[in-house]
Amino acid sequence: MTRLYRIGRSNRIIWDESHFLATFGGKYLNRTYYHDVHPPLAKLLVALAETLAGYNGSYNLKQNNNRYPAHVDYTMMRVQIAMYGVALVPLAYLTCLQLRMSRPMAILAASFVLFDNAICVMSRFVLLDAQLLFFTALTVFSAATFQNVDKYRQPFSYRWWAWLMMTGFSLGCAMSSKWVGLFCVILVGIVTVEGLFRKFCDRIPWDDYTMHWLTRINGLIILPLVIYMACFWVHFKILYRTGSGEHKMSANFQARLLGSRLNSQPYDITYGAFVDLRSVYNGPGLLHSHIHRYPSMSRQQQVTCFPHRDTNNVWQLHKARGIEANYTMDKIEFVSHGDIVQLVHNKTGAVLRSSKQFLAPLTTNHFEVAAENITASSDDGISDWRVEVVKQKHSKRGDKRLHAMTTVFRLRHVSMGCLLRVGSRRLPKWGWGQSEVTCLPDTTHKKNVKSNDVLWYIEHNTNKRMLNDDLSKYVKGDFIVDMVQLNIEMGKTNSGLSPDRDKYNALESDPWSWPFLIYPMRMVGWGDKSIKYYEIGNPILWWASAIACIVYPFRLLYWLARQRRQCNDWRPGELLEFWDNSKLLWGGWALHYFPFFPMGRVTYIHHYLPALYFALLQLAFDLDLVFKHWRRGRYLHLAAWCIGALVCLVFLYFAPFTYGWDRPAKELAGRRWLSTWNVYEDMYAM
């Protein structure tokens, strides 16, 4: 009821529904490749919800002014995603029972999750947070259950194996939804290593001890990795059409996408062809030149490597200097190993050249590579390059002909013997931060010079005299390589989401402010007549759970110190049981909260929700401990009912923000408990 009440009230795009529903989910339905910072599982579940709701992926945001058209059943999509938020409540209850909490306090813990406004509102829209929270909760429940089975029941039994595999499955799903799920992996890993250390201290037989290690490696490392990889395998299988995000992937990957410009081009390279040369060295990109000149040395046109497609990346293959040819009329001649060519920049007409007279701007033990409009007075031979085929990825070993995409080759300067090279060094502002291209001295002509920084291949070529071929039949896919590359690019994009500290943003917030709910977030526009949603948590729960988590390590140290002084606060084994049952909760909070401090990326208050889930259960755990020891639990039931009623009332008090408020926000001024809450005015707007 709390998750579904009036869930379809607003037909506008709410928060990041524009990305996950209208963009990424729709891409799966029309099979169009895209790039995003998150792993695919949660977005695949969004696509599943869209499919079950009868959506065909044709929604256009701009044409509909951020509103869902009549044919899009957005309510059904939201309902399906909300089910993951619904499942959090019973999972919280079951987890607390596994942590040896009393039934009334387990119910209270579930009510904390039920009556938190922030968790509720983020579960009601087509986002990724509900799925992530569900798999996080499933992980901690499975881990707690496995811990009990391993501790109190027979190891390697059917039940033992089932909960070990369920824990591994949950871990795989959590980290396949968002990379935040990796914190769950770390949490379970720490708890597992501690458990194995205890078994070592208990001196169990070596055969059994080795089996405990092997089974956990299989269930908690290999299984999650298999699930993570399987999600990417499904991702690649579904997205087989060319799309806007393909440029992040290798040319080999792009050529296998239906409709890609790399997919349809001549396979054989001839003189007169217009080519894009890409470095095999990962990162720098395509051989590039532009009208800007070097500030010193030759002062000729700069030659660099540029990662994005551009008209300045196009070169025409000419024969060696002094050989006249008409490339539109003469007989077609193919470029082969050992041929001497010139590379003429298509946009400026300048020729790629190098000379011993000029050293490279950064790597001064190499020669400068520039583009120059060659005249009769220019040095003879400075623009001639010999093609040296290094590897043929498709054709037979004896094939010496140059092919698009599949031939890896070097370009050796004929007169100097140096090799065209690109490295990781970036030019300063005058070079637009692009990668430096040099000529690597190699006077001995060593045949074993096969470093990626001197290897090139033709990514794309155009030639009106040649028929286009389907290059997907020549390039081979490698799932592991594609998956690793995509994860690297996801990391680069994620790290690039850095906040602008010189510009105020009403949506962003820093981690220090989250536990005490300093800066809630407006999820939509704040017009008087628009339906307004505010991501604000239940203040009582946020503040109390924050205090409980902050105080926890000090309480633990206090009890350990008293135990060392032989003060009998606990019965034998009771403190150890307290640690076993609470370490998952406090550890989960700490691991899902503190890593955000060193992160350089932009952060929002909903990034705290996984940590909040652990904090709410920690709060209930501490209350259970207090009332069990106070007058032997006589008021435990009464306390659970009273606290639950208070939490419910506060939830209802802030419910207008959760279920949408369509009147002026000024009418909710009384719900502004802190001066930093922008309930009805944005105090810091510039």
Side-chain angles (χ1 to χ4, degrees):
M1 181 177 173
T2 59
R3 269 49 175 176
L4 302 185
Y5 175 67
R6 306 184 80 177
I7 196 170
R9 183 183 181 193
S10 176
N11 68 343
R12 296 187 67 88
I13 295 289
I14 305 298
W15 183 229
D16 275 348
E17 282 188 333
S18 58
H19 297 300
F20 303 123
L21 190 154
T23 303
F24 301 140
K27 299 278 188 187
Y28 283 117
L29 299 187
N30 54 42
R31 307 294 193 266
T32 303
Y33 188 80
Y34 71 87
H35 176 75
D36 183 41
V37 298
H38 301 302
L41 179 57
K43 291 172 291 185
L44 285 167
L45 294 174
V46 169
L48 175 62
E50 292 177 331
T51 302
L52 295 176
Y55 177 51
N56 61 7
S58 61
Y59 178 67
N60 189 301
L61 284 172
K62 294 181 180 179
Q63 292 179 358
N64 292 278
N65 193 28
N66 286 349
R67 294 182 184 272
Y68 292 108
H71 71 274
V72 176
D73 192 353
Y74 61 91
T75 300
M76 180 56 67
M77 298 179 199
R78 289 175 179 171
V79 166
Q80 293 180 69
I81 299 302
M83 289 297 105
Y84 298 102
V86 170
L88 286 178
V89 180
L91 278 174
Y93 169 73
L94 295 171
T95 301
C96 290
L97 291 183
Q98 291 297 325
L99 297 177
R100 297 295 190 264
M101 289 171 58
S102 64
R103 194 174 298 272
M105 285 300 170
I107 294 174
L108 182 64
S111 71
F112 287 170
V113 177
L114 177 67
F115 293 128
D116 180 70
N117 300 79
I119 292 178
C120 183
V121 74
M122 293 303 287
S123 299
R124 290 167 48 81
F125 302 107
V126 187
L127 308 171
L128 307 186
D129 300 276
Q131 300 94 303
L132 174 65
L133 283 171
F134 168 74
F135 290 122
T136 300
L138 186 62
T139 296
V140 68
F141 167 59
S142 302
T145 307
F146 174 72
Q147 177 179 264
N148 286 335
V149 172
D150 185 58
K151 188 175 180 180
Y152 300 112
R153 294 177 180 269
Q154 183 66 31
F156 312 121
S157 63
Y158 173 80
R159 182 180 175 85
W160 187 93
W161 273 105
W163 284 110
L164 175 65
M165 293 297 112
M166 177 58 76
T167 305
F169 171 80
S170 306
L171 287 173
C173 292
M175 69 179 186
S176 298
S177 298
K178 277 188 174 183
W179 276 355
V180 175
L182 288 171
F183 300 143
C184 277
V185 176
I186 297 172
L187 172 65
V188 173
I190 293 173
V191 171
T192 301
V193 170
E194 186 210 14
L196 289 170
F197 179 74
R198 284 195 202 173
K199 292 183 183 297
F200 175 77
C201 294
D202 292 340
R203 298 183 179 182
I204 66 173
W206 278 107
D207 289 347
D208 288 348
Y209 187 64
T210 304
M211 184 59 68
H212 276 288
W213 269 99
L214 293 177
T215 52
R216 284 163 173 79
I217 289 172
N218 284 321
L220 303 179
I221 297 178
I222 296 177
L223 178 58
L225 283 176
V226 168
I227 292 171
Y228 188 76
M229 294 169 63
C231 291
F232 279 94
W233 184 84
V234 173
H235 176 79
F236 289 139
K237 283 296 180 181
I238 294 177
L239 305 179
Y240 59 81
R241 297 181 187 275
T242 183
S244 58
E246 66 175 37
H247 68 280
K248 295 283 187 178
M249 299 297 289
S250 68
N252 188 64
F253 178 87
Q254 296 176 47
R256 302 196 307 272
L257 294 175
L258 187 63
S260 171
R261 68 189 289 268
L262 304 186
N263 183 272
S264 179
Q265 59 174 307
Y267 182 56
D268 293 315
I269 307 299
T270 69
Y271 287 101
F274 295 92
V275 298
D276 296 344
L277 274 74
R278 180 174 288 275
S279 171
V280 173
Y281 185 73
N282 185 39
L286 296 152
L287 190 65
H288 178 93
S289 186
H290 42 233
I291 59 173
H292 305 285
R293 297 177 177 271
Y294 289 112
S296 60
M297 289 297 174
S298 71
R299 299 186 183 275
Q300 294 293 336
Q301 199 169 294
Q302 296 173 17
V303 173
T304 64
C305 257
F306 186 58
H308 306 295
R309 293 194 181 116
D310 189 276
T311 54
N312 282 320
N313 299 337
V314 182
W315 304 79
Q316 188 177 26
L317 286 171
H318 283 208
K319 291 186 176 181
R321 179 169 166 78
I323 302 177
E324 299 295 331
N326 187 328
Y327 302 112
T328 60
M329 300 293 293
D330 292 349
K331 179 183 176 182
I332 294 176
E333 293 186 53
F334 299 102
V335 181
S336 300
H337 174 74
D339 286 359
I340 298 175
V341 301
Q342 291 187 103
L343 289 168
V344 181
H345 192 240
N346 183 51
K347 202 163 184 180
T348 62
V351 182
L352 188 75
R353 68 110 182 105
S354 187
S355 172
K356 287 185 178 180
Q357 299 179 27
F358 309 113
L359 300 178
L362 301 181
T363 313
T364 54
N365 58 337
H366 294 186
F367 300 118
E368 177 198 85
V369 174
E372 179 183 353
N373 285 290
I374 301 295
T375 63
S377 61
S378 301
D379 292 339
D380 201 24
I382 63 172
S383 61
D384 287 342
W385 302 84
R386 187 182 305 278
V387 176
E388 297 179 354
V389 174
V390 175
K391 184 179 180 181
Q392 296 281 17
K393 294 183 180 180
H394 173 76
S395 52
K396 297 178 180 179
R397 184 177 298 178
D399 184 9
K400 299 297 184 181
R401 189 177 290 181
L402 216 58
H403 303 291
M405 295 293 299
T406 62
T407 303
V408 177
F409 59 92
R410 296 188 294 257
L411 287 173
R412 187 184 297 276
H413 197 274
V414 173
S415 63
M416 297 192 299
C418 58
L419 296 168
L420 189 69
R421 174 194 177 272
V422 61
S424 58
R425 304 187 73 172
R426 298 294 183 94
L427 297 172
K429 277 188 177 181
W430 55 258
W432 306 95
Q434 296 172 15
S435 299
E436 180 193 36
V437 175
T438 64
C439 204
L440 170 68
D442 183 38
T443 54
T444 59
H445 288 61
K446 295 179 180 178
K447 293 183 179 180
N448 62 346
V449 179
K450 293 184 179 180
S451 176
N452 284 348
D453 57 1
V454 297
L455 298 181
W456 305 82
Y457 65 93
I458 294 175
E459 179 181 277
H460 184 262
N461 80 104
T462 56
N463 192 336
K464 294 181 179 179
R465 304 183 71 186
M466 298 287 290
L467 295 175
N468 285 345
D469 204 345
D470 179 10
L471 260 67
S472 63
K473 64 186 180 183
Y474 299 111
V475 295
K476 294 182 179 180
D478 189 323
F479 166 69
I480 299 297
V481 171
D482 293 339
M483 188 192 73
V484 170
Q485 184 185 11
L486 178 55
N487 276 265
I488 292 172
E489 293 299 329
M490 286 162 54
K492 290 179 181 178
T493 306
N494 200 31
S495 61
L497 300 174
S498 56
D500 187 351
R501 297 300 180 183
D502 297 327
K503 182 179 179 181
Y504 168 72
N505 192 319
L507 302 178
E508 300 170 10
S509 57
D510 291 321
W512 65 266
S513 68
W514 297 341
F516 291 100
L517 202 60
I518 305 298
Y519 298 110
M521 186 184 73
R522 296 177 179 181
M523 299 179 68
V524 290
W526 222 242
D528 284 349
K529 295 184 179 180
S530 65
I531 300 176
K532 295 171 281 296
Y533 295 95
Y534 198 45
E535 188 184 354
I536 185 171
N538 187 316
I540 302 297
L541 290 177
W542 283 56
W543 297 337
S545 63
I547 293 172
C549 289
I550 292 170
V551 170
Y552 173 85
F554 299 102
R555 292 166 57 210
L556 188 62
L557 287 173
Y558 171 76
W559 285 327
L560 288 173
R562 284 183 59 82
Q563 188 182 57
R564 292 289 295 175
R565 292 176 62 85
Q566 299 183 358
C567 299
N568 298 321
D569 297 322
W570 301 83
R571 289 189 291 269
E574 205 172 39
L575 183 58
L576 182 60
E577 185 176 351
F578 165 80
W579 165 249
D580 283 339
N581 293 331
S582 62
K583 63 187 176 185
L584 278 171
L585 302 181
W586 189 85
W589 174 80
L591 285 170
H592 283 81
Y593 176 53
F594 290 118
F596 281 98
F597 283 91
M599 285 186 187
R601 63 152 293 164
V602 61
T603 52
Y604 304 95
I605 192 171
H606 66 262
H607 288 145
Y608 184 66
L609 294 185
L612 176 68
Y613 177 81
F614 289 96
L616 295 178
L617 270 57
Q618 179 70 51
L619 174 61
F621 184 89
D622 288 346
L623 290 171
D624 185 55
L625 185 69
V626 169
F627 286 102
K628 278 180 178 176
H629 285 79
W630 184 52
R631 304 196 67 174
R632 298 181 180 180
R634 182 177 301 177
Y635 298 107
L636 191 146
H637 286 75
L638 179 61
W641 277 103
C642 291
I643 296 171
L646 174 64
V647 167
C648 180
L649 288 174
V650 175
F651 171 81
L652 294 175
Y653 185 65
F654 287 94
F657 296 132
T658 305
Y659 299 113
W661 182 255
D662 57 359
R663 297 165 63 182
K666 190 75 173 179
E667 297 182 13
L668 299 176
R671 289 163 175 79
R672 181 185 169 192
W673 287 6
L674 295 180
S675 61
T676 54
W677 293 2
N678 54 347
V679 171
Y680 59 90
E681 63 177 346
D682 204 346
M683 295 77 68
Y684 307 101
M686 295 182 178

